[in-house]
Amino acid sequence: MKKIFLIFAAACAYVACDPVHEDISNAGHITVDELKAMTTITVDKNAKGENGNVISCSTSAPVNAKWSIGGKEFIGNYAWKKMKVDREPSGQYKDTKYYVILTALCPDGTEIVTKDSVICQDITNALEKFWIYGNVEKFPDQVPFQPAAWDAAAMRFSSTEGAHLPTIPDDVYFGLKTLILDVSNASDDCDMKIMNGWWSNTYYDHVKIVSGLNEIQITETMAKECAKGGEGRDLDLMLYSGTMTLNSVYYEE
């Protein structure tokens, strides 16, 4: 494991979470140097000493912490993430750079942001699929289907009000997972609205859907409004136009 100290960057928006407390000289505000001294990032190593694809980061600072790792957000003073490492056509792994950004909210409301990058060179711990829909070996009825345009029930993630997709568990919502949609037969005009089942909020509008893998990042607003432990409105995907076949929905870790 290699310890990497974070460097200062410009401030950005933050949503509070439960902090980990530690006594420091200034109880209301900490400096960038204090934050760096209490923050570490480690990267797994392979037998050759190359960086792997498992990044762990933590801070013991008395702050509320939000991490962005490779563009994916995690809330909490400790974050752990497996990153997908791309492979060159030759079969070798290329040096994939991932940015790690820590946004810290001090007790007095001051925001501090630090940023660094890590290079991933090898897969030391493979990503695992966690199925939401489409695990036909375990659930034979979860077969590919073609939703119709403007059919809001077709892709509502609700075991009681949706036509196909099950309710998404709260830990997936509040873990801010990135949903991966495996799509085939997508027409050129395949255009999607991502909202909640009550039509009261649109999270992403006019999303271009293509054949292959499409990602949807769950945000904290989506979690609070759609999770059963929140307002229970259910995540809802609806086609404005075009046709597609939805094969499966999952996330990876």
Side-chain angles (χ1 to χ4, degrees), residues 38-238:
M38 290 183 277
T39 301
T40 60
I41 300 174
T42 56
V43 184
D44 276 8
K45 300 289 186 180
N46 64 13
K48 298 179 181 179
E50 298 170 322
N51 283 355
N53 68 317
V54 179
I55 301 172
S56 300
C57 49
S58 64
T59 181
S60 60
V63 297
N64 292 315
K66 181 178 75 174
W67 305 86
S68 174
I69 307 176
K72 310 291 176 63
E73 291 186 349
F74 307 88
I75 294 177
N77 288 58
Y78 175 80
W80 175 87
K81 179 63 179 175
K82 295 180 185 178
M83 310 301 295
K84 183 178 290 184
V85 180
D86 297 323
R87 196 185 281 272
E88 296 279 11
S90 63
Q92 299 297 315
Y93 289 107
K94 62 184 178 182
D95 293 342
T96 305
K97 179 183 288 186
Y98 296 100
Y99 287 96
V100 181
I101 301 170
L102 168 61
T103 304
L105 180 66
C106 297
D108 66 355
T110 305
E111 286 183 356
I112 301 175
V113 179
T114 60
K115 179 180 178 180
D116 206 348
S117 63
V118 296
I119 299 293
C120 291
Q121 301 162 303
D122 194 9
I123 290 181
T124 51
N125 201 328
L127 291 169
E128 180 181 354
K129 279 186 181 180
F130 294 86
W131 296 95
I132 304 296
Y133 179 86
N135 186 355
V136 292
E137 292 184 2
K138 188 173 182 180
F139 301 102
D141 60 331
Q142 292 188 353
V143 296
F145 65 93
Q146 294 182 320
W150 291 94
D151 183 354
M155 292 190 289
R156 181 171 178 172
F157 287 91
S158 172
S159 301
T160 56
E161 298 184 59
H164 300 279
L165 303 176
T167 300
I168 295 177
D170 278 10
D171 61 343
V172 176
Y173 277 123
F174 290 109
L176 305 183
K177 307 300 184 184
T178 297
L179 301 183
I180 300 172
L181 277 59
D182 183 352
V183 171
S184 59
N185 306 314
S187 60
D188 291 339
D189 60 342
C190 199
D191 185 20
M192 181 178 288
K193 176 187 181 76
I194 300 174
M195 60 181 183
N196 63 50
W198 290 3
W199 292 69
S200 58
N201 202 350
T202 298
Y203 308 116
Y204 304 101
D205 206 10
H206 294 292
V207 177
K208 174 69 174 177
I209 299 297
V210 298
S211 294
L213 303 181
N214 302 260
E215 290 191 350
I216 299 174
Q217 174 69 52
I218 295 178
T219 65
E220 187 166 3
T221 298
M222 293 164 67
K224 288 180 177 178
E225 293 184 353
C226 298
K228 296 305 178 187
E231 297 178 15
R233 300 186 180 195
D234 302 317
L235 184 64
D236 202 345
L237 317 179
M238 187 190 73

Side-chain angles (χ1 to χ4, degrees), residues 12-28:
C12 63
Y14 177 79
V15 180
C17 63
D18 293 331
V20 174
H21 292 286
E22 176 179 299
D23 290 331
I24 59 173
S25 58
N26 187 340

